Amino acid sequence: AEAAGARTQVANIVSGIAMLGVVLFLTEPLRHVPAAALSAILLLASVGIFDLASVRWMWRVDRTEALLAVVTTLGVVAVGAVNGILFAVALALVRFVRITARPPDEVLGKVPGLAGLHAVDRHAGARTWEGIAIYRFDGPLTFFNADYFRSRVMAAVHRAGPRLEWFVLDMIPISQIDITGIYTLRELHAELQSSGVQLVFAGRRTEIIDWLRQAGLYEARYESIVYPTLREALRTYRRMAGERDAPPLDE
């Protein structure tokens, strides 16, 4: 119907009436049609619904997605529609878990001429502030990526150097924290504090404070290490540090 230019549900009614007419009046003549001819009709229909241009576009955007589409198509051909789709769903879940287990992360800094904070690794001219590191973890913090998160945080701490005083964690991309994630944050807080580094949270301030109250983990001292935005945390640190030699923060 789509190939014929159908635009409304009337096309489905017409198709249904046509199929009913074939079943009632044309089954006898159709039994003489060779199976090869019926196969050719099915193959032609399959070619018509295969969108090669979309696959090429997917390849340019995300090669893994393009390969998943091709594997799904081959799976449907090899083992049938239901089993092929189930196989594709399983592959998609595996890919999702892999992405969530190793999400991208970045240290943020100031790029001359650009407002806001940006990934240091992606901008050659990016500069950071002495004594403070701003870190972004683009994914939820759960049991299957907590160890990875901890190792990446500690790597960022070591790269910041011995004069690090504040380690600011951007909470906006962290959409969920499970029990293992909570324990990981508590252990990181204690470990960093023992090294003279303060773990600070920026973003979702009201949500974090309310959640701590509901979980029975709230302490008054947390009010001073949870900020509504990264910029507010950075301003506070720079005021405390006496505006040391650092790139300016756009207001």
Side-chain angles (χ1 to χ4, degrees):
E2 182 179 357
R7 293 293 181 270
T8 69
Q9 295 300 323
V10 175
N12 293 330
I13 298 176
V14 174
S15 298
I17 294 173
M19 291 179 64
L20 180 62
V22 170
V23 170
L24 292 177
F25 305 111
L26 298 178
T27 53
E28 179 63 23
L30 285 176
R31 74 185 184 92
H32 300 292
V33 177
L38 296 177
S39 301
I41 294 173
L42 293 177
L43 288 173
L44 182 62
S46 300
V47 171
I49 64 175
F50 186 74
D51 190 355
L52 185 59
S54 294
V55 175
R56 287 197 296 264
W57 176 80
M58 291 169 61
W59 181 261
R60 292 195 300 269
V61 175
D62 188 333
R63 293 188 175 184
T64 302
E65 288 282 356
L67 290 174
L68 184 59
V70 173
V71 169
T72 302
T73 302
L74 296 177
V76 170
V77 173
V79 297
V82 175
N83 291 332
I85 292 173
L86 289 176
F87 180 65
V89 170
L91 288 178
L93 288 175
V94 170
R95 181 172 184 265
F96 171 77
V97 171
R98 183 183 65 82
I99 293 174
T100 307
R102 297 291 186 272
D105 64 327
E106 51 200 13
V107 174
L108 305 180
K110 181 72 179 69
V111 179
L114 292 179
L117 302 173
H118 304 272
V120 172
D121 292 340
R122 298 187 202 171
H123 298 83
R127 297 177 59 190
T128 57
W129 292 266
E130 184 179 325
I132 183 173
I134 303 176
Y135 176 77
R136 175 175 291 161
F137 188 76
D138 290 323
L141 181 54
T142 60
F143 69 95
F144 53 79
N145 66 9
D147 288 339
Y148 176 76
F149 168 78
R150 181 192 183 98
S151 65
R152 296 298 294 171
V153 167
M154 296 310 299
V157 169
H158 293 151
R159 286 198 304 270
R163 303 187 67 176
L164 180 66
E165 296 178 359
W166 274 26
F167 188 88
V168 181
L169 178 61
D170 184 5
M171 297 300 293
I172 295 298
I174 302 180
S175 57
Q176 181 182 358
I177 304 176
D178 67 2
I179 297 298
T180 304
I182 295 171
Y183 281 120
T184 301
L185 288 176
R186 292 174 64 179
E187 292 170 359
L188 270 176
H189 182 267
E191 184 176 353
L192 292 177
Q193 218 169 28
S194 66
S195 302
V197 179
Q198 177 65 62
L199 179 62
V200 176
F201 303 93
R204 303 178 184 266
R205 185 180 192 279
T206 302
E207 296 176 44
I208 293 173
I209 296 297
D210 290 345
W211 180 81
L212 289 173
R213 293 183 189 277
Q214 294 173 5
L217 300 173
Y218 175 80
E219 296 180 21
R221 62 190 177 95
Y222 292 148
E223 295 281 352
S224 63
I225 62 171
V226 183
Y227 291 85
T229 65
L230 291 173
R231 295 168 68 86
E232 185 62 29
L234 183 55
R235 288 193 190 98
T236 301
Y237 175 77
R238 296 185 74 198
R239 285 196 298 266
M240 293 173 53
E243 297 288 341
R244 292 185 229 179
D245 182 23
L249 176 64
D250 296 335
E251 297 297 337

